[in-house]
Amino acid sequence: MSATIIDGKAFAAELRGKAAKAVDRIRAETGDVPGLAVVLVGEDPASDIYVRSKNKMTTECGMRSFVHRLDADVPEAQLLELVETLNADSAVNGILVQLPLPDHVDANLVLASIDPAKDVDGFHVSNVGLLGTGQPAMVPCTPLGCLMLLKSQLGDLTGMNAVVLGRSNIVGKPMAQLLLGESCTVTIAHSRTRDLAEVTRRADILVTAVGRPEMVTGDDLKVGATVIDVGINRVERDGKKRLVGDCHFASCVEVAGAITPVPGGVGPMTIACLLKNTITAFCRARGLDEPEELTL
Ligand code: GUN
């Protein structure tokens, strides 16, 4: 049996289309559109690609995009000053500081300086706390995208055994909170977990976010499991550069019930959810209802 392939690329394109329609309506109602500011420090090639892509998709959906590129050796104080300026700018509804930051910058300090109402990444401790206590929060984009794909595939998740492989602040921890919010029984597994395969084989839902190429194989899955592969790992195979996930796709697809591919699975959902969060931030700032078509 071969699993259903969850087409994140198509789902994300649909979500961006809905975001563009919501922006059209907002423009008609308020005479204004949401704005997203992205801050990139240094010249990490992968980050540069993400930032270009965010800029393109933000403008394509009718919103304002502001990109701030700073040198890798920018003093921390100057970065904090920029964030303060963006916090005070009424044309900016969402602020994203691209991670990772250079070692001389305290990333936690920078994230804490972002106005929580403009924190479209959902990384500020206020938003982390709101999510953890089940209150309306800015939800980190990648886990939000994963949850949308899961719900589109499975509907109600109540009572399912969900295993999140990875404990990062960006994906693993917020993903676990979201699944708990959907009444799943949630296990967070990680590099120190004993007998990992025994844990993953109990998962009705498995979300992998460890950044280890093809670590999870079909033998590690429950038959019929829904697998969401967040890993984007650059590897060289037969002399060619390729992107692979944390799951060994060829073996997992034979055991899973549904699985996201890499590329074309979770990746495109992250930026689509960033657009959604920026619209949410605009609506909350203006006391408007959030567009219904963008809610989960
Ligand atoms: N770097 C990798 N993923 C992300 C993300 O979702 N947000 C930010 N700010 N940086 C990242």
Side-chain angles (χ1 to χ4, degrees):
M1 192 191 76
S2 200
T4 300
I5 311 296
I6 303 173
D7 189 347
K9 196 173 165 189
F11 196 101
E14 198 182 317
L15 187 58
R16 290 198 307 274
K18 288 178 183 170
K21 284 210 176 95
V23 171
D24 280 347
R25 228 180 31 248
I26 285 171
R27 188 189 296 107
E29 279 171 22
T30 68
D32 202 0
V33 293
L36 171 67
V38 173
V39 180
L40 175 62
V41 181
E43 277 151 22
D44 175 55
S47 294
D48 187 62
I49 292 170
Y50 284 135
V51 169
R52 281 173 198 275
S53 192
K54 282 167 191 166
N55 182 39
K56 181 166 173 276
M57 292 186 181
T58 305
T59 49
E60 271 176 8
C61 107
M63 298 199 277
R64 277 194 210 101
S65 174
F66 309 93
V67 178
H68 296 266
R69 291 173 181 273
L70 303 176
D71 291 339
D73 61 356
V74 66
E76 183 182 84
Q78 194 177 320
L79 179 53
L80 291 169
E81 215 172 282
L82 172 60
V83 172
E84 278 315 314
T85 307
L86 298 173
N87 282 342
D89 185 343
S90 61
V92 172
N93 302 101
I95 302 170
L96 181 147
V97 178
Q98 185 70 29
L99 301 177
L101 287 168
D103 288 345
H104 72 278
V105 175
D106 181 346
N108 285 329
L109 189 66
V110 174
L111 295 178
S113 73
I114 296 172
D115 178 350
K118 296 189 178 188
D119 171 35
V120 283
D121 257 331
F123 294 164
H124 191 287
V125 287
S126 295
N127 283 312
V128 175
L130 289 168
L131 179 63
T133 52
Q135 301 178 70
M138 280 291 166
V139 178
C141 302
T142 300
L144 181 58
C146 293
L147 184 63
M148 286 182 148
L149 294 178
L150 280 168
K151 289 181 85 162
S152 77
Q153 190 62 35
L154 296 170
D156 185 5
L157 309 184
T158 301
M160 292 188 179
N161 280 331
V163 174
V164 179
L165 185 48
R167 53 177 159 175
S168 70
N169 292 337
I170 294 182
V171 184
K173 287 178 198 160
M175 187 75 244
Q177 292 290 2
L178 286 173
L179 291 165
L180 204 50
E182 298 295 325
S183 301
C184 292
T185 302
V186 181
T187 304
I188 304 180
H190 47 77
S191 55
R192 303 285 179 89
T193 297
R194 288 193 194 137
D195 200 354
L196 184 60
E198 189 270 327
V199 176
T200 57
R201 277 188 210 120
R202 278 189 271 128
D204 302 307
I205 293 169
L206 177 65
V207 181
T208 59
V210 278
R212 296 208 184 174
E214 299 177 325
M215 173 185 158
V216 174
T217 71
D219 285 345
D220 305 322
L221 302 180
K222 178 176 183 172
V223 173
T226 301
V227 179
I228 304 289
D229 190 350
V230 182
I232 301 178
N233 307 293
R234 277 158 236 274
V235 296
E236 204 164 313
R237 292 281 149 79
D238 307 322
K240 284 191 194 142
K241 292 201 166 85
R242 286 187 53 204
L243 287 183
V244 298
D246 292 341
C247 297
H248 181 265
F249 190 80
S251 60
C252 289
V253 79
E254 294 302 324
V255 182
I259 185 167
T260 56
V262 176
V266 173
M269 289 300 290
T270 299
I271 296 182
C273 287
L274 178 66
L275 304 179
K276 166 180 154 55
N277 279 356
T278 305
I279 294 169
T280 297
F282 178 96
C283 290
R284 289 184 188 167
R286 304 282 181 111
L288 303 171
D289 290 335
E290 286 169 41
E292 218 167 90
E293 66 269 34
L294 295 179
T295 53
L296 270 177

